[in-house]
Amino acid sequence: MKVDFNKLDKAFENRVRLQIMSVLMVNESYDFTSLKELLDVTDGNLASNLKALEKEEYITIHKSFIGRKPNTTYQASATGKKAFQIHLNALEQLIKLQKK
């Protein structure tokens, strides 16, 4: 069995982006503050990684207000879910090859 390394997505090589997508794959949506606390990252680090996923169209962003307070939530897009699953499948194949 051979692994197609082209199926490993560079967007998910970064630990924070991998974590963001993992959270969004199993949750309908997640807000900025909760993601920041869960992943234990700075505002800037989270924002730049979310921007990178948005640029790839792997996540969608919803901005609203709760009272007067802004609330931004994120969801994995259909494109993002498919890309992440392909990436996970490629990783799984790589791991299986390492078994003796």
Side-chain angles (χ1 to χ4, degrees), residues 1 11-12 19 31 53 55 58-60 64 67-68 93-94:
M1 180 187 340
F12 305 128
Q19 289 177 301
D31 68 81
L53 291 171
K55 185 179 172 193
Y58 287 172
I59 61 170
T60 57
S64 62
R68 291 180 173 221
Q93 292 304 312
L94 180 62

Side-chain angles (χ1 to χ4, degrees), residues 40-92:
D40 193 27
V41 293
T42 63
D43 285 12
N45 190 348
L46 181 57
S48 65
N49 283 292
L50 286 165
K51 185 61 105 179
L53 291 171
E54 181 188 14
K55 185 179 172 193
E56 296 291 331
E57 298 183 351
Y58 287 172
I59 61 170
T60 57
I61 299 170
H62 305 279
K63 295 182 183 248
S64 62
F65 283 88
I66 297 176
R68 291 180 173 221
K69 189 175 176 187
N71 184 48
T72 305
T73 58
Y74 303 89
Q75 290 182 302
S77 67
T79 301
K81 288 178 181 180
K82 182 178 179 184
F84 195 67
Q85 192 59 56
I86 290 168
H87 183 77
L88 290 181
N89 291 343
L91 284 175
E92 187 177 2

